[in-house]
Amino acid sequence: MNRPANVDVHLQPRPPSPLQEIRDDRFERHGVRLLLKRDDLVHPELPGNKWRKLAPNLRAAVAGGYPALVTFGGAYSNHLRATAAAGRLLGLATVGIVRGDELAGRPLNDSLARCAADGMRLHFVSRSAYRDKAGLPAQAGAEGAYVIPEGGSNALALHGCAELGRELSGACDVVAVACGTGGTLAGLAPGLGAGQRAVGVPVVGGGFLEAEIRSLQTAAFGGPAGDWSLAEGYAHGGYARVPAELAQFAADFESRHGLPVERIYVAKLLWALLDLTREGAFPGGTTLAAVVTGRP
């Protein structure tokens, strides 16, 4: 397949994504207006923050003439799936370095099976080896490939996510987004307009994200940027954990509003926003925009 000269023309993204008002009495009784930034609709195969973060890296890979993409993720990584799809669409080979060597001898789950179907070569490594990623591309036979970090979060990605902030400039008071590696929040916040602030909801515990976000912003912008904060305590047991109570909440939201709710990120975000609203974290009259970063 001939490689495209222009990634955006070839992949045909659809920004700006729509902003949809949700009438929900659980928010309205506290004077909070809820909007959904439907970034899940920005691209059919690279939805939400995956497009925002991958696009600048894909442009760099194509412009640099790299023969392949290599990246990292866990067994249920949406980032791995998006990278595999991008490679197929652009005619680039892809290698996914997967955390957990115990997975190598098992049937692939739906997420990894989709990666393999899109042509991604999966390389499983132990959890201890995964912590030090520098030498893993060579071990996986991906020398010379364009390296995209776990979750797609690097300086280029932050500039892509800043465009999401600019799309929301003036449309709301607070923007909220679920956080895995923190790259979307790190880029989104400096793209917002004066008087707006961003709230990130970590989907994994540990309290490490604040330092990660500051480090990412220093690499991209030279230092901390934008008005942002983290709302910890909504990981529901850890990454990819969806306890029954959270699943019921997501199903109820779907029933109320006729919208699909992705469980690993978006359900935790919406749960957190409702809880924070009930606690009075958002003053009456606040317009709150929740970024829908992915699809089920």
Side-chain angles (χ1 to χ4, degrees):
M1 182 186 297
N2 293 326
R3 291 179 189 162
N6 188 310
V7 168
D8 297 82
V9 169
H10 190 79
L11 296 183
Q12 297 183 326
R14 303 165 183 168
S17 55
L19 195 58
Q20 179 178 357
E21 182 164 7
I22 298 296
R23 301 302 303 268
D24 192 312
D25 65 325
R26 296 171 297 177
F27 289 87
E28 291 177 348
R29 69 170 62 110
H30 297 280
V32 174
R33 179 181 178 225
L34 178 65
L35 309 175
L36 297 185
K37 177 65 169 166
R38 297 294 305 277
D39 241 33
D40 56 318
L41 303 177
V42 78
H43 191 281
E45 296 193 70
L46 311 177
N49 61 343
K50 302 311 171 191
W51 164 258
R52 306 281 184 181
K53 293 195 283 188
L54 276 176
N57 283 285
L58 296 174
R59 294 182 196 113
V62 169
Y66 286 86
L69 308 171
V70 60
T71 194
F72 313 84
Y76 296 93
S77 170
N78 290 329
H79 168 69
L80 285 181
R81 286 175 54 182
T83 303
R88 172 177 55 80
L89 292 169
L90 293 175
L92 288 171
T94 56
V95 178
I97 297 175
V98 185
R99 180 179 62 249
D101 55 350
E102 75 277 4
L103 301 170
R106 300 178 185 175
L108 298 178
N109 63 32
D110 289 346
S111 183
L112 294 178
R114 178 66 179 272
C115 292
D118 277 336
M120 176 174 275
R121 180 166 60 83
L122 301 173
H123 179 77
F124 298 90
V125 301
S126 69
R127 295 171 188 276
S128 58
Y130 187 84
R131 294 189 190 101
D132 184 13
K133 300 179 178 61
L136 293 181
Q139 293 176 28
E143 301 93 337
Y146 184 91
V147 179
I148 302 175
E150 183 177 22
S153 294
N154 59 10
L156 283 176
L158 265 63
H159 287 285
C161 292
E163 182 59 31
L164 171 60
R166 287 189 284 270
E167 289 179 19
L168 286 163
S169 181
C172 57
D173 303 299
V174 180
V175 180
V177 64
C179 299
T181 57
T184 303
L185 176 64
L188 160 69
L192 295 173
Q196 292 180 296
R197 64 185 178 95
V199 175
V201 176
V203 300
V204 59
F208 61 89
L209 264 187
E210 183 171 351
E212 290 289 327
I213 291 169
R214 294 189 185 282
S215 177
L216 285 167
Q217 289 193 329
T218 297
F221 309 119
D227 184 356
W228 59 270
S229 61
L230 293 173
E232 301 276 6
Y234 298 102
H236 292 266
Y239 181 73
R241 301 286 179 87
V242 185
E245 192 175 19
L246 179 64
Q248 291 166 5
F249 168 81
D252 177 68
F253 195 95
E254 290 175 332
S255 177
R256 286 170 181 259
H257 303 297
L259 297 169
V261 176
E262 186 270 338
R263 289 341 192 225
I264 294 174
Y265 289 91
V266 179
K268 293 180 179 182
L269 170 67
L270 294 172
W271 174 296
L273 294 181
L274 180 55
D275 189 58
L276 291 168
T277 296
R278 287 169 170 164
E279 290 181 353
F282 308 117
T286 296
T287 297
L288 174 63
V291 181
V292 180
T293 50
R295 297 190 295 266

